[in-house]
Amino acid sequence: MSFHETAFHILILLSLEQLIKILSLRKKVLGRVKTKTIKSKALNGEMYLGIVKNLINSINSGRIPNIENTWTSMCKVESFKSFEEAEKIYENIMKENIDSAGFSEEILKKMHTEAKEKSIAAFRSKSVGEVAIDYEKMLKSKIKDRLSYYTKLNLEETRSQLTRLLQKWYSVLEYKIQNCDLKNVDEIEYEFRQLEFKLNENFPNNNEIRNELFNDFKSRVLNFAGEFFLNKMNNEINLIKNENEQVISQLNNQLKETKTNYETELTKKNTSIDQMKAE
């Protein structure tokens, strides 16, 4: 082995030895360092750095450093961050569970309660200081507003889904009525019962909206059927009337022809009689 190779190996060994010593020292130092706290609240690295920066800025600007003010400012920052994170937790839970078929009011409130509890628990675990009380009130108010939003969204989504489905069914019944597959109201009422059963299966929640839209659907179908049946009956009456008029016209023509023929024959006979008398 050359001198350079030997020197290189020695340097590696020394480097490893130094590294081991540094790691050992670091472990000892960190093991003896106590967690920094203010008002019994443990500080993380970001919070600790924020306090140090505020103190340095105070000194550099010629002001007397004030730990209390620095702590209050840090509490506001941390509580606001916790507020935003908690708000996202609520939103994520609600959005993940939104169903296109809609929820009943009871299910929606249950889902809201679960999301609210997790959101507030997350906020309380990270917020600091007395200012957290105000931010928690803001969070609860925000969640309440979002419940109103999701309640409205749930109703609108349910209404939209129902409207599209009922419009599809209306087109089907309209075709059946025009094609004479449904000949009277009893047959239409039977179709209504079948469709209502399917509707309850597909939309088991929000009974009030479902019943409102289905009643409107039935009313539109019956109005269309009534107009169609009435027009059909009028057409049939007009057809029969026209046929009767044609028959009457034919009978009148036949009667006139018979009368003319009779008069012609009568004239011929009278002429023959007059000739016979003259002879």
Side-chain angles (χ1 to χ4, degrees), residues 142-159:
K142 184 73 173 180
I143 289 175
K144 184 179 179 180
D145 291 340
R146 297 306 290 170
L147 173 61
S148 298
Y149 165 77
Y150 280 113
T151 299
K152 183 179 179 181
L153 181 67
N154 181 55
L155 293 176
E156 289 177 351
E157 181 62 28
T158 301
R159 183 178 291 274

Side-chain angles (χ1 to χ4, degrees), residues 67-78:
I67 295 293
E68 186 67 27
N69 291 342
T70 301
W71 167 252
T72 301
S73 298
M74 188 199 67
C75 288
K76 289 181 179 180
V77 172
E78 291 299 317

